Each structure stands twice: as structure tokens, then as C-alpha cells.
Amino acid sequence: MALALAFAALCSAVWAGLSWYGAAHDDTLEYAATRDEVRSAGEQAVQNLNTLDHRKVDAGLDSWEESTTGELRGQLKKGRKEFEKQIRAAKTVTSARILSSAVAELDERAGRAGVLVAVRTTVKAPKEKPATKQTRMRGELTRTEDGWKLSALAQVPVGYSATAPDERG
């Protein structure tokens, strides 16, 4: 009887040790942390690119550039002077609020990810009522030395689904 109890205790200890080791070395936790990091970076970048105050236009455009990488960042830098001139002339204040978001894809090895973000943007112009609109955006992110940065951004058409093709014809 004592031998059977000792064997059962040994089996339990082995099982507990293997379970602990498996949990401690499970890539799922690391993947989930990366997914959360991507989602947060995507939300912040989309918010930054939809927020701009004509009184702080330089800081706002700097934030746009800091949030982006690759071709998107190049496009922003190239059009910066003209865009700055337009914003100062219009005297608008645009603010964004993230409503929801999700990571649509994540390839850690390639350092690429995709996010879907619902955002509410409010534009205030002098002597006009604020205009508010809600849009859904799809962002592509690339891992850089400084973290995940937005490398592409586009508005998602109504009826878009990440899992099903658009069947409107």
C-alpha cells in the first residue's frame, strides 16, 4: 500500500512539474503580449493620424511621422509643408477617439501586423458647428527598432469583413 501511495505521489509530482514547465515555456503568452502591443500601437497611431490642432501643427505633424514608417512616413514627410499651410489657413482642430479595435493578423517572424480600428473624428472649424464622423480603418504595422509603427492606413468600406469577401457585386 505504501508503495502504491509513493508511486501515486511521484506521478502527481511529475505531472505537476511537466504542467508547470509547459506553462512557463508556452509561446501563447508571448504571442498574446505581442498581439496586445500591436493593438495598442495601432490604436495610438490611428488616433495620432486623426488628430491635429492648427495651433500646434508642428507637434501634431511630428507625432504623425513618429507614428509611421516606410512609404507612409515618406508620403507624410513629402507633403508636410503643403499640408501644414492648408491646416493653418483652415484653422481647424481635429480630434479622434478610438471606439474599438482588433488585431486582424500578426506575423511575428516577418514583423508585420494588421489592425482594424473604429474611430470617431471631430473637426472644429472657426464659426462652424463641430462635425463628427465615425469610420473604420485598416492599418498595417511594421516592427521597427522603436516598436510597432503604422506603415499603411486606409478607410474600410462599409460591409467589409476580414473573413468574408465583399459580396455587394
Side-chain angles (χ1 to χ4, degrees):
M1 178 76 158
L3 186 59
L5 286 175
F7 181 72
L10 178 63
C11 287
S12 291
V14 168
W15 179 80
L18 289 173
S19 295
W20 172 85
Y21 183 84
H25 294 87
D26 188 358
D27 290 342
T28 306
L29 294 175
E30 187 176 323
Y31 186 81
T34 302
R35 185 189 62 231
D36 291 346
E37 183 182 340
V38 164
R39 182 172 169 242
S40 179
E43 284 182 357
Q44 187 63 58
V46 169
Q47 183 171 348
N48 291 349
L49 267 67
N50 285 278
T51 300
L52 192 60
D53 185 335
H54 73 95
R55 298 165 297 197
K56 305 174 198 166
V57 72
D58 288 326
L61 293 176
D62 287 346
S63 174
W64 286 17
E65 289 180 21
E66 291 165 6
S67 300
T68 58
T69 190
E71 190 176 319
L72 178 58
R73 186 168 193 235
Q75 291 170 353
L76 293 173
K77 289 178 93 166
K78 183 178 180 183
R80 182 176 175 135
K81 293 239 185 256
E82 184 61 33
F83 194 69
E84 183 178 341
K85 189 170 31 170
Q86 291 172 358
I87 294 299
R88 289 187 195 276
K91 296 185 179 184
T92 55
V93 176
T94 306
S95 60
R97 180 173 164 245
I98 302 301
L99 303 175
S100 65
S101 68
V103 175
E105 59 186 289
L106 174 57
D107 184 342
E108 289 182 287
R109 289 187 180 139
R112 302 196 60 78
V115 294
L116 297 169
V117 181
V119 61
R120 178 178 295 140
T121 307
T122 303
V123 180
K124 297 177 186 174
K127 300 178 185 176
E128 292 183 28
K129 281 185 164 181
T132 301
K133 72 175 184 172
Q134 290 183 179
T135 55
R136 290 182 297 164
M137 309 202 85
R138 170 137 175 95
E140 299 294 328
L141 289 100
T142 302
R143 186 177 46 232
T144 70
E145 292 177 355
D146 299 321
W148 292 91
K149 305 282 183 167
L150 205 57
S151 50
L153 184 64
Q155 189 168 338
V156 176
V158 175
Y160 174 83
S161 170
T163 58
D166 188 349
E167 298 178 5
R168 292 176 290 167

